[in-house]
Every structure is written in structure tokens, then in C-alpha cells.
Amino acid sequence: MSRLGNLGHRLHRGEIAYDFVGKRKLWYGVSILITLAAIVGLAVNGLKLGIEFSGGAVFTTPKTSISQSEALTKIEGDTGGHEATVQKLGTGSLRIQISDVTLAQAKTIEAKIATDLGLKADTIDPQIVGPSWGKEISNKAITGLVIFMVLVTIYLAIAFEWRKAIAALVALIHDLTITIGVYAIVGFEVTPGTVIGLLTVLGYSLYDTVVVFDGLKETTKDITKQNRFTYSELANRSLNQTLVRSINTTVVALLPVGALLFVGGGLLGAGMLNDIALSLFVGLAAGAYSSIFIATPLVADLKERDPQIAALRKRVLAKRAADARKAEEEPQDAAQEADGDEGDGEEHAAAAGVAGPRRQPASRNRGKNRPSGKRH
């Protein structure tokens, strides 16, 4: 059996355990720092919206030897005052994107780009998206995301309870914020592929969280009928039992996504692969983290505020304190009994000496039958 498999069996049997729930304040602090960094990156850089959302034009050239930097230098000043983004595709062609341009402006810019790059105008493939259509797509994406969040919360509240629904919702928002923040920091475009990746990430994160919650539900069944463990301790035990499964699932999911990101996007230069793969890669890692370090500890925090669970915690702690006092008293009682036994032994020995055989005095008839020395 491999080391990881052996570790999983030991975690499931409870032979070893990592105190995730007990150190929840540490994990909360780490998550807050990461989230703040993502928010700062989003506020400073902002999201780079693709033309599908902002409107604009994309010009795809045929295969050319012109590099990305050379193309950007040559078309500078001929983009109608708008910022241009140039990307070298794996096929050797160039993808030139210019946002916020009208149809008439796009036609003029297309002709100028063809002249600048020494290409025929009819060899350039233009794709023009109006700003009104892009705004409509943006609204639909936001609406779909909100509906997804609401349905997820309702489902979890019915399947489990409202505390777990809140914890899962916080974990989803955590994953979404980090993923969007990374997009802002890296500077990747937000395209429909990005939205698809985000929805996939949220679904995967929810799946991992539900697996942990299902194990927690079984572990804490009839919890108030015992006085050995608190809710937080049983939640931590349940989390340890599913830990290796969560890690294995995440690693297996990250490997192909990493191939999409670094091979498909980096080496082949496929723009759509970049958009989907980055959101998936960051979101999957954040989802695995939130399922382990955020969702379950937050459920434990919320449950400990329940009157029955709080009363259980008091009983468990009181029982442990009583057991500790009893354990301390037992050695003292044993020592006192040992001292008492030693004293009793001495008293018995003394009593035995008193009651033992006594020395007889000299016999009065000691000289009887001896010669008296008298002469007869």
C-alpha cells in the first residue's frame, strides 16, 4: 500500500488527525489576506473585458513572420485612439483586438492594419461586436451567476440545514473572489470562456463541499445522546476522514487543467484555452482549500452557537474535568493506602512482640538434687 493510501486509512480510522477546526482562526486569517489581495488587484487593475462584453473588433491575420511586439509597434497610432491587444497564435497568425469601436471605425482600422502589416485587406478576418450586444451578454452572465447562487443555497438548506448552506455560500463567494482577483492581477481577458470556467469551478467546489458535509452529517448523527465529543471535534474527525479523498480528487482534476493552461495556452497560444484553463486552475485550487479550511470550520462555529450543541459542549468539558480530577485523586489515595498499610504492619509487629513468649525467671528449684555440701 502506498504512503498516501496508508495515510488515508489511518485518518479514516482516527489513528491520526489534523486539527483543522481547532485552528480555524488561522485559516480565516489566511483566507482574509488572500481575499483582500484579490480585491486590491481588482480595484487597481480592473477586469480586462473581452469584446464579447465590452464591444469592439478582433482582426485575425493569416500566418505571418511578424512578431507580437513588431505588430504592436507598426499599428500604433492607427487604432483610432483605442488600446490594441496583439496575440501570437499557435498557427503563426496574429490576433489583434481593439475594444470600444463602432462598425464604421472597425472598417477604417482594418484597412490601416492591413497596410501597416503589408497584408491584403481581404486576407484579414474581422469579428465585430456591438457594445449593446456585449452589455446584454454581461447582464445575462451576472443574472445566471446570481440564480446559480440562490438555487445552491436553497438546495443545501433543504438537503442539510441553513448553517451548512451559509457556509457553502461563503466558500463559493471566497472561490469566486479569488479567481476574479487573479484574473485582474494577471491581466487575462474575461470572455464567455471565463464565465464557463467560473461556473464549472463553482460546481466543482460545491461538489467537494457537499461530500464533506455528507460525512459530517453521518458523523454527528444523534450527537446530543453522548458526552464524549463536542461538535467541533466530530466535525474535525469527519473532515480528516474525507481529507485524502478531497486531495486526490483535486490533484487529478488539476493535472489536465494544468496541461490546458501551460501547454494549450502557453505553447500553442490558444486564447480560448487560456480563458477557460486559468479560471479552472485557480478556482479548483481555491475550491479545495475552502472546502477543507473554510466551509467545515465555519459550520462548526455556527453550530456551537446552537443552545443544544452549546449545552453538549459544557457537559463534555465538565465530564473531562471530573475525570481529570478523579485521575489525580486516585494516585494520592493509593499512596495514602500504602502508607497506612506500612503503619499497620509496624503496629502488628509490635503487638506480636508483646504477645510473644516471655522469659521465665530463674527457677527456685535450680539447686535441687545437687550436692548440698553438708556432711552427714
Side-chain angles (χ1 to χ4, degrees), residues 171-172 174-180 182-183 194 196-209 245-261 276-293:
L172 289 177
H174 168 271
D175 302 341
L176 186 63
T177 304
I178 292 178
T179 306
I180 294 177
V182 170
Y183 255 83
T194 305
I196 294 172
L198 286 176
L199 292 176
T200 305
V201 162
L202 296 180
Y204 178 87
S205 176
L206 180 64
Y207 164 77
D208 205 17
T209 303
R245 177 180 178 179
S246 298
I247 293 176
N248 287 336
T249 306
T250 302
V251 171
V252 170
L254 283 177
L255 288 177
V257 173
L260 282 176
L261 179 61
I276 297 178
L278 180 62
S279 60
L280 285 176
F281 192 86
V282 176
L284 288 176
Y289 174 86
S290 64
S291 298
I292 298 173
F293 298 98

Side-chain angles (χ1 to χ4, degrees), residues 30-102:
V30 173
S31 297
I32 290 174
L33 290 177
I34 297 175
T35 305
L36 287 177
I39 293 174
V40 170
L42 182 61
V44 173
N45 296 335
L47 287 176
K48 188 176 182 181
L49 298 177
I51 62 168
E52 294 87 356
F53 296 104
S54 63
V58 175
F59 306 102
T60 305
T61 70
K63 184 177 181 180
T64 178
S65 59
I66 300 175
S67 66
Q68 177 180 341
S69 58
E70 290 176 345
L72 190 59
T73 302
K74 288 183 177 182
I75 67 174
E76 187 178 2
D78 291 335
T79 59
H82 300 279
E83 183 180 357
T85 302
V86 180
Q87 182 181 8
K88 188 76 172 182
L89 302 180
T91 57
S93 58
L94 293 173
R95 183 177 184 268
I96 303 171
Q97 176 177 314
I98 303 174
S99 300
D100 299 327
V101 295
T102 63

Side-chain angles (χ1 to χ4, degrees), residues 62 92 123 137 140 154 156 174 200 204 226 244 258 288 318 346 364:
T123 61
I137 292 296
K140 287 183 178 180
I154 294 174
L156 290 178
H174 168 271
T200 305
Y204 178 87
Q226 53 85 41
V244 173
E346 292 177 356
R364 297 177 182 178

